[in-house]
């Protein structure tokens, strides 16, 4: 590797957790670019390493400390050669465990919570000057978006855009309200401006992000034409008018904030894709209540019916937790019954993991590990079957696919369906960024295989 230009510094970023961390990592790279940092894809020899962490489950935290142990050796090796490496821990573990990180890993130079990324350049300078760990874990949430740079590296055909952060819902099991702070929505102006920029850089599909994305309540644009003051539904309508933006998605939604306007948006706005991630967590009313989710199983099912009435081809995905304190066999059966009833196209399921400081962590009637394991296996087997069944149901159909880039094999393209399934299709790379009809030959459990439908083949 050549390092002729002294101005070029190598930045290695690693992200765990949700898409919001992926988005934040990209913004950290943007903020450091004017200082001469350019992203590299391996930690060896890097001048700066940022670990963007997740605190959602226990394993995530332990992964951070084992990774830090490995990176310490790289840092020491670099210093032994007279070089320097700035080691930073960002994200939700940084927010929640700032003091523990500096105590357990004193060689870490910077600890910064999710609301402090705009302060990175200043923190890098301070760390260099003082030689001591610099810690920033305040919640000046408005600042972050106001101070992040206008210029950003293009994300590609499919892009993420954070429109909302934080959470006021305080589910019994969850650390997010503590690590990301109170709910905050960016203004419609800011979101629309960023979306236009992403489209200008080649994005055809944008996924709006937020821990509670459908609670978005940002300021509407001044005198904006075609604007309907109806929360996320209004924002989607305004975004759908951006020329060149073909597809819109949003994640993660809470069932409680799924209002009539948003349901109607799935019916009325063609750019809004027929796929919705709507975490339910449990199918038992007792457990839902203990979780402080604010709805019953019947209310969730009714919501699903209304969504499917509005958009009959809507596919649903969800999150399930097994083994929340107090969960009985009957509760578990209720969860299995709800899954059978909804038929999810995709899902994530987890064993309950106690998080320090959350109400459930101190709750009685813990479920033992073996029971949690068994319940998780049952839930996952059912969800796997449902996903396989959904994918298989597309075999023989022709569906619009947005091509995102080269596939794994030469001559192959990768793309995604409206229902977020990955598709592999033989075809020219020139189709990247375009939407074309694809005949699905095989609906496999995790992806689809197809070929360009006849009309496109002759056109291409
Ligand atoms: N805001 C989203 C969830 C964000 S966290 C919502 O309200 O649904 C992503 C998922 O992680 C959650 O949906 C939940 O299923 C899981 N999760 C959160 N805390 C957890 C814990 N303590 N143990 C196990 N899974 C957890
Ligand atoms: Fe966590 Fe509940 Fe907020 Fe989702 S709604 S981020 S699960 S507290
Ligand atoms: Fe993890 Fe924080 Fe996202 S805890 S899931 S990185 S909001």
């Amino acid at each position: 590797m050549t390092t002729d230009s002294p101005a070029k510094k190598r930045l290695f970023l690693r992200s765990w957790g949700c898409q919001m961390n992926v988005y934040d990592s990209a913004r950290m790279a943007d903020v450091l670019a004017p200082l001469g940092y350019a992203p590299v894809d391996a930690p060896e020899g890097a001048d700066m390493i940022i670990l963007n962490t997740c605190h959602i489950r226990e394993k995530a935290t332990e992964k951070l400390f084992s990774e830090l142990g490995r990176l310490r050796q790289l840092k020491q090796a670099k210093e032994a050669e007279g070089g320097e490496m700035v080691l930073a821990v960002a994200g939700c573990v940084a927010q929640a465990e700032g003091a523990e990180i500096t105590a357990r890993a004193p060689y870490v130079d910077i600890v910064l919570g999710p609301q402090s990324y705009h302060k990175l350049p200043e923190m890098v300078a301070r760390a260099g000057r003082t030689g001591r760990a610099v810690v920033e874990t305040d919640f000046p949430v408005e600042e972050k978006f106001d101070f992040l740079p206008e210029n950003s590296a293009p994300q590609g055909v499919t892009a993420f855009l954070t429109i909302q952060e934080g959470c006021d819902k305080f589910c019994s099991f969850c650390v997010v309200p503590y690590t990301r702070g109170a709910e905050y929505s960016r203004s419609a102006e800011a979101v629309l401006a960023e979306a236009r920029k992403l489209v200008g850089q080649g994005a055809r599909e944008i996924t709006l992000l937020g821990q509670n994305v459908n609670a978005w309540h940002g300021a509407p644009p001044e005198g904006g034409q075609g604007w309907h003051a109806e929360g996320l539904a209004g924002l989607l309508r305004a975004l759908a008018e951006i020329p060149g933006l073909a597809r819109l998605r949003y994640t993660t939604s809470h069932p409680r904030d799924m209002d009539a306007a948003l349901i109607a948006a799935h019916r009325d706005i063609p750019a809004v894709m027929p796929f919705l991630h709507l975490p339910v967590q449990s199918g038992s009313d007792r457990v839902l209540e203990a979780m402080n989710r604010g709805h019953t199983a019947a209310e969730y099912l009714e919501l699903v019916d209304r969504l499917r009435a509005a958009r009959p081809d809507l596919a649903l995905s969800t999150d399930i937790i097994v083994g929340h304190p107090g969960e009985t066999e009957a509760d578990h059966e209720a969860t299995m019954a709800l899954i059978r009833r909804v038929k999810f196209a995709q899902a994530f399921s987890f064993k309950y993991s106690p998080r320090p400081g959350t109400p459930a962590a101190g709750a009685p009637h813990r479920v033992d590990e073996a029971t949690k394991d068994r319940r998780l296996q049952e839930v996952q087997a059912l969800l796997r079957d449902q996903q396989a069944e959904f994918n298989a149901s597309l075999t023989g159909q022709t569906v619009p696919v947005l091509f995102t880039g080269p596939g794994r094999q030469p001559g192959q393209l990768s793309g995604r369906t409206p229902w977020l399934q990955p598709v592999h299709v033989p075809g020219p790379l020139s189709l990247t960024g375009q939407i074309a009809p694809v005949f699905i030959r095989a609906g496999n459990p995790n992806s689809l295989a197809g070929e360009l439908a006849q009309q496109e083949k002759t056109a291409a």
Side-chain angles (χ1 to χ4, degrees):
M1 193 184 288
T2 55
T3 49
D4 295 337
S5 157
K8 271 284 166 249
K9 294 184 217 154
R10 282 163 291 187
L11 169 66
F12 178 71
L13 266 155
R14 175 140 190 224
S15 257
W16 288 273
C18 59
Q19 296 299 351
M20 304 194 58
N21 264 9
V22 177
Y23 177 87
D24 282 345
S25 289
R27 303 315 304 265
M28 284 192 264
D30 294 340
V31 117
L32 291 169
L35 275 68
Y37 285 97
V40 292
D41 48 22
E44 286 76 17
D47 300 289
M48 177 158 183
I49 294 183
I50 304 178
L51 302 179
N52 195 6
T53 60
C54 172
H55 200 47
I56 204 84
R57 283 168 293 274
E58 203 168 359
K59 277 200 189 121
T61 316
E62 282 316 307
K63 265 187 221 151
L64 166 68
F65 283 106
S66 61
E67 182 78 8
L68 279 176
R70 269 196 299 277
L71 294 178
R72 176 191 201 171
Q73 288 169 3
L74 288 184
K75 185 174 158 93
Q76 283 171 339
K78 190 137 197 241
E79 283 165 359
E81 290 167 7
E84 268 179 40
M85 177 202 280
V86 182
L87 186 52
V89 179
C92 291
V93 180
Q95 185 65 44
E97 313 265 7
E100 191 184 341
I101 293 168
T102 48
R104 259 175 88 174
Y107 46 90
V108 167
D109 302 293
I110 292 175
V111 175
L112 74 170
Q115 307 311 336
S116 308
Y117 298 152
H118 55 291
K119 296 185 188 158
L120 249 177
E122 173 209 326
M123 293 175 77
V124 173
R126 259 202 289 154
R129 268 200 315 274
T130 62
R132 287 214 316 270
V134 179
V135 180
E136 283 279 359
T137 49
D138 292 343
F139 279 119
V141 73
E142 302 82 353
E143 283 186 27
K144 169 175 166 180
F145 291 112
D146 293 349
F147 290 94
L148 284 169
E150 287 281 307
N151 292 327
S152 56
Q155 290 191 46
V157 174
T158 57
F160 293 114
L161 201 178
T162 294
I163 65 165
Q164 182 276 336
E165 277 211 83
C167 180
D168 298 334
K169 296 211 165 56
F170 292 93
C171 299
S172 62
F173 50 83
C174 183
V175 290
V176 170
Y178 313 95
T179 62
R180 294 272 171 169
E183 248 181 64
Y184 168 79
S185 298
R186 295 177 73 187
S187 74
E189 294 278 15
V191 173
L192 289 164
E194 188 166 333
R196 284 190 206 101
K197 193 182 67 192
L198 290 168
V199 173
Q201 292 172 336
R204 303 292 322 279
E205 173 178 302
I206 292 182
T207 303
L208 307 177
L209 299 178
Q211 271 93 16
N212 271 282
V213 75
N214 60 343
W216 182 85
H217 57 269
E222 259 178 59
Q225 273 182 334
W227 179 261
H228 306 252
E230 46 182 16
L232 183 57
L235 185 64
L236 288 167
R237 216 176 293 275
L239 285 163
E241 282 165 22
I242 296 176
L245 181 52
R247 293 181 167 190
L248 286 166
R249 305 177 186 277
Y250 57 95
T251 197
T252 294
S253 293
H254 194 293
R256 260 154 75 186
D257 295 316
M258 211 62 224
D259 61 18
L262 192 49
I263 295 173
H266 278 272
R267 182 192 59 212
D268 300 337
I269 308 174
V272 174
M273 288 294 98
F275 182 91
L276 180 64
H277 183 60
L278 195 62
V280 68
Q281 316 297 358
S282 169
S284 152
D285 288 347
R286 278 186 60 246
V287 175
L288 286 168
E289 166 131 43
M291 287 176 162
N292 191 31
R293 290 293 287 180
H295 64 81
T296 61
E299 281 161 354
Y300 183 88
L301 292 172
E302 196 219 313
L303 196 52
V304 168
D305 289 345
R306 283 168 61 207
L307 279 158
R308 283 181 169 154
R311 182 81 206 222
D313 65 342
L314 186 87
L316 284 152
S317 114
T318 201
D319 291 344
I320 302 278
I321 296 179
V322 302
H324 186 273
E327 185 188 73
T328 63
E329 213 48 38
D331 295 325
H332 170 61
E333 275 310 315
T335 299
M336 295 291 283
L338 181 137
I339 297 171
R340 280 189 207 101
R341 163 80 205 281
V342 177
K343 288 198 172 40
F344 292 101
Q346 201 195 303
F348 303 93
S349 45
F350 314 98
K351 277 195 286 184
Y352 167 72
S353 166
R355 308 312 291 128
T358 59
H365 309 297
R366 288 210 181 183
V367 178
D368 65 84
E369 273 313 295
T371 306
K372 279 198 229 175
D373 280 331
R374 195 227 337 127
R375 288 180 187 166
L376 186 67
Q377 278 172 25
E378 288 175 14
V379 161
Q380 289 188 337
L382 179 56
L383 289 168
R384 242 193 331 268
D385 285 352
Q386 293 189 342
Q387 178 172 338
E389 200 179 310
F390 178 70
N391 286 354
S393 75
L394 286 164
T395 306
Q397 291 195 39
T398 299
V399 302
V401 168
L402 171 60
F403 291 107
T404 50
R408 276 207 203 111
Q409 323 220 338
Q412 208 186 44
L413 280 170
S414 253
R416 53 169 70 157
T417 69
W419 306 280
L420 213 52
Q421 298 135 302
V423 196
H424 303 291
V425 182
L429 258 184
S430 57
L431 281 178
T432 302
Q434 295 189 39
I435 297 173
V438 166
F439 176 78
I440 304 299
R441 271 191 298 102
N444 304 316
N446 296 311
S447 66
L448 311 178
E451 53 203 45
L452 291 167
Q454 212 52 44
Q455 75 210 59
E456 278 304 311
K457 252 195 213 159
T458 44

